[in-house]
Amino acid sequence: MKSSRILLFISLSFLSFYGIAQPTKLVIRAKAKDAKFIGTGIGGAHVIVKNEMTGEILAKGLTTGTSGNTDLILKMPHKRNDRLTDDKTAKFEASINILEPTFVTVEVIAPVNRKSSAIKASTQLWLIPGKDIDEEGIVLDMPGFILDILEPQTHRILILEKMGEKKVKIKINLTMLCGCAVTKGGVWDSEQIEVKALVKKDGIKYKDVTLGITSVDNIFEGILDVNALGMYEIQVYGYDKITKNTGVDRINFVIQ
């Protein structure tokens, strides 16, 4: 009995001296620039929280949830301390046990399932034991577009003599990083986005082709006139003249 009391005393003294790690909540969100939050619908954003001093990974995972309320995020005026999110809006939430104030680095890669369009954003902050950073949490703004070339397909081989009109359709899909649709006259208006294909033949600049929105959301098309055999490269960019968002995709094809 006496030995048990001694052991308890030693344990309490140890904890009193060294402190007890406290769970501290940290909420991270990724928001597409000029758009909504990056959540489950687009595959989420990958979040890593590291101790900046030691490099130890304290938490990691994906943001999950909805992209949020369009009217609240983009159409309503906001005052200081107004929230742009609700309980369903995409987030990554971690409970991190820390003994003392800890300086951490937060890295976000999004959209994680679109490797050609994914970008990294990061920030740093102090975590204080037991002082939650929740509700809106830490919001990282992610600039850019998701841009995918749909036609021609990668390394497609075309036979020039079988191409009646000697034309190649260039077709792309363009969305915001949150997956939100780009449409003519819509919330994300195609009219303010310049989409152009920069074409090389055998490594030398060949032609530029302007792509226009079609009747289908997110789909832009243009026609490349070709008259020679060679190895072709197409690099398509999207550039929002107002918000300055950008996106790029690149493919190669062959004309024999």
Side-chain angles (χ1 to χ4, degrees):
M1 188 67 147
K2 184 176 180 180
S3 61
S4 297
R5 286 199 296 269
I6 293 173
L7 183 60
L8 177 61
F9 175 77
I10 293 173
S11 299
L12 292 174
S13 298
F14 178 86
L15 292 174
S16 175
F17 182 78
Y18 287 101
I20 302 173
Q22 297 186 54
T24 304
K25 187 186 295 184
L26 176 61
V27 170
I28 305 294
R29 304 181 197 267
K31 180 181 172 296
K33 180 180 178 181
D34 186 46
K36 300 165 69 176
F37 290 88
I38 298 170
T40 305
I42 197 67
H46 184 61
V47 179
I48 301 173
V49 183
K50 295 188 293 187
N51 183 318
E52 177 60 23
M53 181 66 70
T54 66
E56 177 189 3
I57 294 178
L58 304 175
K60 62 180 179 178
L62 294 174
T63 59
T64 58
T66 71
S67 59
N69 184 306
T70 303
D71 289 342
L72 176 63
I73 297 169
L74 294 165
K75 297 182 179 181
M76 296 173 61
H78 306 135
K79 302 190 300 294
R80 183 184 181 188
N81 299 324
D82 283 351
R83 285 191 59 176
L84 297 180
T85 63
D86 55 32
D87 291 340
K88 296 180 180 180
T89 307
K91 65 182 178 180
F92 169 72
E93 181 175 319
S95 181
I96 301 174
N97 293 321
I98 50 176
L99 284 165
E100 60 185 358
T102 303
F103 193 53
V104 301
T105 296
V106 177
E107 293 182 352
V108 174
I109 300 172
V112 69
N113 285 347
R114 306 300 303 155
K115 300 301 183 185
S116 62
S117 300
I119 63 168
K120 180 188 290 186
S122 65
T123 190
Q124 295 179 310
L125 68 147
W126 283 98
L127 290 182
I128 311 299
K131 305 301 179 182
D132 294 337
I133 300 178
D134 52 5
E135 298 182 350
E136 199 91 325
I138 301 297
V139 179
L140 282 83
D141 205 40
M142 315 286 286
F145 294 119
I146 300 173
L147 195 159
D148 295 301
I149 297 176
L150 305 179
E151 294 184 38
Q153 292 83 17
T154 297
H155 204 256
R156 183 179 180 186
I157 298 176
L158 302 172
I159 308 302
L160 186 63
E161 62 183 29
K162 294 182 179 180
M163 297 171 58
E165 296 184 350
K166 306 295 187 291
K167 297 179 184 295
V168 175
K169 179 191 289 187
I170 302 174
K171 180 179 180 180
I172 67 111
N173 187 83
L174 180 75
T175 71
M176 309 304 292
L177 283 189
C178 54
C180 299
V182 174
T183 60
K184 187 171 183 177
V187 175
W188 295 278
D189 190 359
S190 62
E191 296 301 293
Q192 71 187 50
I193 302 173
E194 176 183 308
V195 180
K196 185 172 288 188
L198 310 178
V199 184
K200 292 180 180 180
K201 186 178 82 68
D202 299 324
I204 299 172
K205 182 176 179 180
Y206 182 63
K207 290 180 181 178
D208 294 346
V209 179
T210 298
L211 278 61
I213 191 74
T214 69
S215 59
V216 180
D217 294 356
N218 307 319
I219 302 299
F220 291 72
E221 290 183 357
I223 298 297
L224 170 66
D225 293 312
V226 294
N227 55 20
L229 309 181
M231 310 290 287
Y232 287 79
E233 176 187 285
I234 296 177
Q235 183 172 244
V236 180
Y237 72 78
Y239 170 68
D240 190 309
K241 293 168 281 189
I242 297 177
T243 69
K244 311 307 178 182
N245 271 323
T246 58
V248 172
D249 194 16
R250 178 184 301 171
I251 63 102
N252 297 80
F253 70 98
V254 180
I255 295 183
Q256 293 182 348

